[in-house]
Amino acid sequence: MMPSRRQFLRTLSALPLLPALPSLAQASPQRLRLAPFAQQIAPEGYPATDLWGVNGAMPGETLRRRQGGRLTVEVDNRLPQATSLHWHGIRIDNAMDGVPGVTQDPIAPGTQFTYDFALPDAGTYWYHSHAQSVEQVERGLQGLLIVEEPETPDVDQDIPLMIDDLRVTKDAAIDGNFTAPHDLSHAGRLGNLLLCNGAMTYAQPVKQGERLRLRLINSANARIFVLGLQGLTGWIMAYDGMPLAEPEALPDRLTLAPAQRIDLFVDVTAEAGSEAFLLQFEQDGGYELARFPVAAGSTTTRPAPQPLPPNPDFPIALTDAPTTDLRMEGGAMAWLAQARFKGQTLSGQDLAQLGQFWAFNGSAGRPPEPLLTARLGETHRIRMQNDTLWPHAMHLHGMHFAEVLADGTLGPLRDTLMMREGEAREIAFQAHNPGDWLLHCHMLSHHAAGMGTWIRVTA
Ligand code: C2O
Ligand code: CU
C-alpha cells in the first residue's frame, strides 16, 4: 500500500539522521532581526549603502532546514515601517503566508511576530517583505529559504546565487523615489547596480570536474534576467523549487523573471587556472554576475544525474475543471480608460493620480471578491490574457500550478509564470491548500500600481 502523505511526512521527520532536528526541540525560535544597517555594495571608492537587513545582512540570513521539519522564526521589527515576511513558493499554512491585510496584521515597528510552519517541500524558496514591497524588498528585506532533500544529492558544492538589481544614486544611496509614475506604468523599477549574493563581484572557488548545484534566484523588483554559463555544462533540475521528473539539458540562455528560481546541476568544464562564469545578457553584450576560479581537479566526465526526489504530489485533473478568465490591462501605451478601485469606478486619469495604472478584469488593486473560489481538491484553470504592452511575472501564493500547453499537456510545476506582452496562456492547479491566496504580478511596482487579485480555497 502507498503511504499517505501524512505518514510520509511523519516518517521523514522521524528519521534519526537529520542534523537539523535536534535544534528544533529547543525552546526559543531563531530570531530574525529586521533593522537598518550599511553594506558596501557599490564599487570601491563609493560609500557603503544604507540598507534594511535581516540579521545584519542583505540578502538576509540564509535559512536551511530539512524537508519534513518546521521553520520557526521570530521576526523582530526594528525598522521605521510596519512589515511582514512572505515565504515565497513554499506550500504553507495560510496564516503564515505573511500578507498584511489578508493573512495577518502588519508587524508594527518595535514588535515581534513568530512564523511557525511545516516544510512539506524540498527545494529553493525565498522570503521577502510583503509590506510596501517596492520599497522594502529594494532596501534589502529578502533572503533564502532552502529546504534540503532527505538525502543530500550527489554534488560537490551547493551554491545559491541570489541575483538582484538595485537603483542607487550617485552617492550609492538607495534611490528613495519608490512611486515614480514612470516606473509604476512602464517596466517597473529597474536598477543600475547588478548584484549576486549582495555583491557586485561575487566569486566562489571550484575545482575542475566538480559537480555544482547552482540555485538561481531572481530577487529583483522588476528586471528579467537572461542568463548564460561559461565553463559549466549540465542540467536543469527544478523550477521554482519543484523537481523535474527528468533533468533537462541546459540551454544556452535561461530566462529568469522576478521571483523565479531554477536549480541546476553543472559540471566544471573550464580548465584549471581559468575561470567559469555566470553571465547576464543584454542587447549590448554580457555582464559577469558571478565568477568561479577553477583549481586543478579531475577531468573524467560524470554520468547524468538522477532526478531530485519528487515533492508531495497534488495531481491536476483537467477534465471538467472550471476555467476562469484573467484579462491583464493597462500600463504605458495601453492606458486604462477606467477601472474599479476600492469600490468606485474611476477614469484612467483619476487612477493615475492615485498611482494605479493596471487592472485585472477591470479592477485595479485587490478587489473585494476573489477571482475564483475553489473547493479543496478541485482542479481550476485560469486563462490569462496579457492585453498590455509589457511582460509580467504572475505569481500564485500557496500552491504551485502547471501551464496547460497548446497540445493539452501540462508543463512543469511553477509558482511564477512570465507572460510576454500580448500573450495568452493558461495555468491549472489543484486547490489543495485552504485559505485566501494572492495572485499578482511580481514586478513589484506593477503589483503596487494595480496588478493584484486573490483566490479562495474553501476547506
Ligand atoms: Cu514573492 Cu506575493 O510574493
Ligand atoms: Cu507586471
Side-chain angles (χ1 to χ4, degrees):
M1 210 183 82
M2 288 287 287
S4 72
R5 171 163 174 254
R6 174 158 291 146
Q7 279 165 342
F8 173 67
L9 292 180
R10 200 183 304 122
T11 319
L12 272 183
S13 57
L15 283 180
L17 58 157
L18 304 185
L21 284 179
S23 64
L24 294 177
Q26 287 172 7
S28 54
Q30 181 173 358
R31 177 170 278 231
L32 297 182
R33 190 169 192 275
L34 277 42
F37 80 113
Q39 182 167 307
Q40 185 73 35
I41 55 171
E44 240 189 331
Y46 286 90
T49 300
D50 287 322
L51 298 166
W52 290 356
V54 180
N55 290 349
M58 194 289 290
E61 179 159 341
T62 296
L63 305 173
R64 270 188 188 266
R65 297 289 188 277
R66 198 62 84 150
Q67 185 179 22
R70 291 186 82 77
L71 184 81
T72 309
V73 288
E74 187 190 58
V75 172
D76 182 14
N77 181 6
R78 298 284 145 192
L79 301 166
Q81 289 178 7
T83 191
S84 73
L85 289 184
H86 168 58
W87 308 90
H88 183 115
I90 189 140
R91 304 188 281 192
I92 59 171
D93 190 16
N94 189 249
M96 295 291 124
D97 198 40
V99 183
V102 178
T103 64
Q104 68 171 99
D105 291 331
I107 310 168
T111 69
Q112 294 79 34
F113 184 88
T114 299
Y115 291 97
D116 175 30
F117 52 85
L119 299 165
D121 301 314
T124 304
Y125 304 96
W126 65 298
Y127 62 88
H128 60 82
S129 161
H130 217 295
Q132 297 201 45
S133 56
V134 179
E135 173 170 0
Q136 294 196 4
V137 176
E138 179 87 351
R139 288 196 188 277
L141 299 181
Q142 47 172 278
L144 269 171
L145 170 58
I146 293 176
V147 184
E148 294 176 336
E149 292 79 17
E151 279 175 55
T152 308
D154 183 23
V155 293
D156 299 303
Q157 295 199 54
D158 180 333
I159 307 173
L161 299 166
M162 199 162 192
I163 304 161
D164 196 1
D165 77 331
L166 300 182
R167 186 185 300 174
V168 298
T169 64
K170 58 183 185 335
D171 307 316
I174 297 290
D175 185 327
N177 187 358
F178 298 103
T179 53
H182 188 273
D183 293 336
L184 296 174
S185 61
H186 290 65
R189 180 179 165 118
L190 298 173
N192 49 10
L193 203 57
L194 294 187
L195 299 179
C196 177
N197 296 339
M200 280 186 71
T201 51
Y202 179 77
Q204 173 67 30
V206 299
K207 289 202 188 82
Q208 192 176 16
E210 268 189 333
R211 180 161 288 174
L212 316 175
R213 178 179 191 157
L214 301 183
R215 301 175 187 263
L216 306 173
I217 304 100
N218 181 353
S219 66
N221 188 309
R223 183 179 296 273
I224 298 163
F225 284 93
V226 178
L227 303 171
L229 297 170
Q230 209 174 291
L232 303 165
T233 54
W235 297 265
I236 298 175
M237 302 301 291
Y239 288 110
D240 296 346
M242 291 296 167
L244 293 173
E246 284 304 327
E248 285 171 12
L250 193 64
D252 279 354
R253 297 282 186 274
L254 287 168
T255 300
L256 202 61
Q260 290 185 323
R261 286 91 63 216
I262 301 181
D263 280 47
L264 306 176
F265 281 9
V266 293
D267 295 343
V268 180
T269 53
E271 299 284 313
S274 70
E275 289 180 314
F277 294 96
L278 171 67
L279 302 167
Q280 194 250 335
F281 292 94
E282 300 275 330
Q283 260 113 337
D284 56 349
Y287 295 84
E288 171 192 327
L289 282 171
R291 69 170 60 210
F292 306 93
V294 181
S298 124
T299 51
T300 50
T301 41
R302 298 164 66 149
Q306 294 299 308
L308 291 166
N311 283 324
D313 185 25
F314 298 93
I316 293 165
L318 291 179
T319 318
D320 300 330
T323 302
T324 304
D325 282 304
L326 179 63
R327 204 174 62 259
M328 304 154 66
E329 322 156 283
M333 300 176 296
W335 305 100
L336 291 175
Q338 56 165 59
R340 282 187 307 284
F341 181 62
K342 296 193 172 157
Q344 286 180 296
T345 299
L346 299 178
S347 71
Q349 277 96 335
D350 289 347
L351 287 162
Q353 292 301 313
L354 299 167
Q356 299 295 303
F357 291 95
W358 311 87
F360 287 158
N361 291 349
S363 273
R366 192 159 57 230
E369 294 300 324
L371 175 73
L372 64 88
T373 300
R375 249 171 301 140
L376 198 63
E378 269 177 0
T379 292
H380 277 253
R381 304 166 73 134
I382 302 176
R383 206 155 50 195
M384 301 191 288
Q385 170 72 42
N386 182 0
D387 283 339
T388 80
L389 298 172
W390 302 89
H392 302 286
M394 295 296 290
H395 170 49
L396 177 64
H397 284 216
M399 285 154 290
H400 278 62
F401 55 79
E403 184 172 0
V404 184
L405 302 170
D407 64 0
T409 60
L410 294 171
L413 288 172
R414 300 224 61 153
D415 62 44
T416 305
L417 182 76
M418 189 166 75
M419 299 276 299
R420 295 273 180 199
E421 41 278 36
E423 262 183 351
R425 294 169 75 174
E426 186 173 357
I427 59 171
F429 63 99
Q430 190 202 118
H432 63 79
N433 201 358
D436 292 346
W437 302 105
L438 296 197
L439 171 60
H440 65 88
C441 177
H442 219 287
M443 276 108 175
L444 300 174
S445 309
H446 292 176
H447 186 198
M451 294 201 115
T453 185
W454 58 288
I455 67 163
R456 173 167 285 166
V457 180
T458 57

